[in-house]
Amino acid sequence: MTGETAGGAAGKLRIDKWLWQARFFKTRSLAAKTVGTGRCRVNGTPVAKPAFCVSPGDVLTFPQAHDMRVIRVEALGVRRGPAPEARTLYTDMAPPEPREASLTSVPRFDRGGRPTKRDRRMMEKTFPDALE
């Protein structure tokens, strides 16, 4: 037995419940679905069952939105509390990198409101291929 049972082991908690309590997922069913796809790893070992138990010191790797998260479990929670309390449950080993604005090359009208016909023509002269 290496933590694969969910039955009352002291110092262990189901991975889907821990991810939900640590506020990585909005619902426990979303956490279970992510773990169930097999893309979650505990200490480098792929996990496909939401009932897999984690304990303090385990390193979790899982996808969240468009990022890959690497988290070390520091403590097991007893409830899904507020965000500051949830942040004490883990250490982020690889914090997500800030995304660059993907629309930085798109011209913006910054005079407030809708651009006039003259302003639109000026933007088209400046950025001819950006508005197509």
Side-chain angles (χ1 to χ4, degrees):
M1 295 276 180
T2 60
E4 296 176 13
T5 61
K12 294 187 181 259
L13 189 65
R14 286 175 57 118
I15 189 169
D16 62 336
K17 191 170 184 178
W18 188 88
L19 288 169
W20 171 70
Q21 285 179 352
R23 294 187 164 265
F24 287 107
F25 295 97
K26 192 172 184 179
T27 63
R28 187 169 165 187
S29 62
L30 285 174
K33 188 185 297 183
T34 301
V35 173
T37 61
R39 293 182 291 172
C40 186
R41 294 177 177 264
V42 177
N43 296 326
T45 306
V47 175
K49 294 184 179 181
F52 189 89
C53 292
V54 295
S55 58
D58 287 345
V59 176
L60 307 179
T61 307
F62 59 94
Q64 183 186 27
H66 298 290
D67 299 324
M68 199 63 156
R69 303 295 302 263
V70 180
I71 305 297
R72 183 184 320 120
V73 178
E74 296 295 334
L76 303 177
V78 292
R79 67 184 185 118
R80 186 173 199 252
E85 182 180 317
R87 280 191 289 271
T88 63
L89 299 178
Y90 64 90
T91 302
D92 201 348
M93 307 272 291
E97 299 172 1
R99 293 186 184 177
E100 296 178 18
S102 60
L103 301 176
T104 54
S105 64
V106 176
R108 295 279 183 193
F109 182 72
D110 53 353
R111 291 190 195 153
R114 186 173 173 179
T116 63
K117 193 171 190 177
R118 180 176 176 265
D119 293 331
R120 185 180 52 81
R121 287 182 179 155
M122 293 293 285
M123 286 192 320
E124 286 177 357
K125 285 181 184 177
T126 310
F127 303 101
D129 59 338
L131 297 176
E132 293 176 359

